[in-house]
C-alpha cells in the first residue's frame, strides 16, 4: 500500500513522500495567484479556479481562499464561497450544487491521534455537503461529516457528526433544532413575509 492509498483508506499517515510536498507547493502557488488576482480580472480567476480543482466548474469564490491541494475538492455548479474560507483537503471534500458558504468557514478532513506519543501522525476522513445547503459564517466542519441536502448550519457551529437533510442545525457541537417547514416558505426573516408582490418588484429592479 502506498502512502496515498493509506490516506484514502483512513489509515495513519505522514505527508513527506510520494510527491505530496511538491503537490502542496504547486497548490500554494495557485492559491497565491488566485488570492492576488484583481477583482475585475474574471477571466484569470476562472482559469485559476479550473487549475485549482483540476476541472471546469461554475463556482464563485471570494478571495482569500485557502486549501491544501485543491484537487481533492469537488464542487458542484452554482456554489458560492465567501471570504476567508479554509478547506483542509488531505482527502476528498465533496460539495454539491448551489451550496452557499458564509465567511470564514473551515472544512477539515484531517485529524491527529489524541495521545501525544502518536500525534505526529495524521488520519483523513472525507467530508460531503449535499446540494442546496447554506453553511453560515465561522462554521467548522470536522472530518467524516456528511451534511444532507437543503440543510442550514447556523453561524459559529462546530459540526462533529452527520446532519440530516432539510434540517436547521446550530451549536457546538452542532445539533438539529428543527426541520425546514411551511413557516420557512412564508417568512424569510423573523416576521418579514415573502410575498409575490415583493418578489415581482425585486425582479423588476434587476
Amino acid at each position: 500500500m502506498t502512502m496515498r492509498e493509506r490516506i484514502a483508506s483512513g489509515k495513519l499517515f505522514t505527508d513527506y513522500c510520494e510527491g505530496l510536498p511538491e503537490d502542496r507547493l504547486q497548490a500554494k502557488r495557485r492559491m497565491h495567484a488566485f488570492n492576488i488576482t484583481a477583482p475585475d480580472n474574471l477571466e484569470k480567476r476562472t482559469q485559476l479556479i479550473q487549475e485549482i480543482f483540476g476541472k471546469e466548474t461554475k463556482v464563485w469564490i471570494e478571495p482569500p481562499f485557502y486549501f491544501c491541494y485543491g484537487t481533492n475538492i469537488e464542487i458542484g455548479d452554482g456554489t458560492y464561497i465567501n471570504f476567508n474560507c479554509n478547506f483542509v483537503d488531505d482527502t476528498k471534500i465533496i460539495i454539491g450544487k448551489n451550496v452557499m458558504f458564509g465567511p470564514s468557514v473551515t472544512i477539515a478532513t484531517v485529524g491527529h491521534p489524541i495521545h501525544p506519543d502518536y500525534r505526529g501522525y495524521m488520519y483523513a476522513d472525507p467530508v460531503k455537503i449535499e446540494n442546496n445547503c447554506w453553511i453560515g459564517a465561522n462554521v467548522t466542519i470536522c472530518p467524516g461529516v456528511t451534511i444532507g441536502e437543503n440543510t442550514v448550519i447556523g453561524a459559529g457551529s462546530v459540526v462533529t457528526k452527520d446532519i440530516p437533510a432539510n434540517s436547521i442545525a446550530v451549536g457546538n457541537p452542532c445539533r438539529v433544532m428543527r426541520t425546514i417547514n411551511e413557516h420557512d416558505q412564508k417568512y424569510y426573516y423573523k416576521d418579514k413575509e415573502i410575498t409575490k408582490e415583493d418578489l415581482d418588484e425585486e425582479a423588476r429592479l434587476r
Side-chain angles (χ1 to χ4, degrees):
M1 180 176 285
T2 67
M3 191 67 77
R4 290 174 186 265
E5 288 170 341
R6 289 186 65 87
I7 295 170
S9 63
K11 291 182 176 292
L12 292 176
F13 72 93
T14 54
D15 57 1
Y16 306 114
C17 62
E18 294 183 12
L20 292 166
E22 291 79 4
D23 287 354
R24 290 194 301 277
L25 180 60
Q26 180 62 29
K28 288 176 183 177
R29 293 192 186 104
R30 291 171 178 153
M31 181 171 63
H32 176 72
F34 178 79
N35 287 337
I36 65 169
T37 300
D40 56 351
N41 193 347
L42 300 183
E43 183 177 349
K44 182 65 174 177
R45 281 194 181 184
T46 300
Q47 174 197 331
L48 286 165
I49 285 171
Q50 291 180 17
E51 291 177 8
I52 288 166
F53 300 130
K55 66 176 185 178
E56 183 176 355
T57 182
K58 295 176 182 177
V59 57
W60 186 271
I61 303 173
E62 298 285 359
F65 176 53
Y66 303 101
F67 50 89
C68 291
Y69 295 92
T71 50
N72 288 329
I73 304 169
E74 299 178 14
I75 302 185
D77 291 346
T79 287
Y80 173 80
I81 299 172
N82 213 325
F83 303 101
N84 204 42
C85 286
N86 304 271
F87 290 4
V88 185
D89 63 315
D90 286 76
T91 193
K92 289 289 186 182
I93 296 174
I94 302 170
I95 298 166
K97 296 179 180 179
N98 303 314
V99 176
M100 298 193 304
F101 290 91
S104 301
V105 172
T106 295
I107 301 175
T109 66
V110 68
H112 300 269
I114 297 296
H115 198 284
D117 288 354
Y118 304 104
R119 210 171 291 156
Y121 295 99
M122 294 175 279
Y123 60 87
D125 203 359
V127 168
K128 184 176 183 181
I129 301 171
E130 296 182 350
N131 296 340
N132 303 312
C133 289
W134 175 17
I135 312 299
N138 292 295
V139 167
T140 298
I141 300 172
C142 295
V145 164
T146 293
I147 298 174
E149 64 179 357
N150 304 323
T151 284
V152 176
I153 305 296
S157 297
V158 179
V159 189
T160 59
K161 296 181 180 179
D162 293 353
I163 304 294
N166 302 302
S167 299
I168 299 172
V170 299
N172 180 8
C174 189
R175 294 185 175 90
V176 175
M177 285 178 54
R178 63 179 179 85
T179 58
I180 296 171
N181 57 37
E182 292 180 0
H183 179 275
D184 303 302
Q185 206 163 24
K186 187 174 182 181
Y187 297 95
Y188 64 92
Y189 179 66
K190 295 185 177 178
D191 62 348
K192 296 182 182 295
E193 191 172 354
I194 301 166
T195 66
K196 183 179 184 303
E197 293 76 17
D198 189 47
L199 294 179
D200 287 346
E201 179 183 73
E202 192 281 335
R204 286 196 300 272
L205 295 170
R206 292 185 190 184

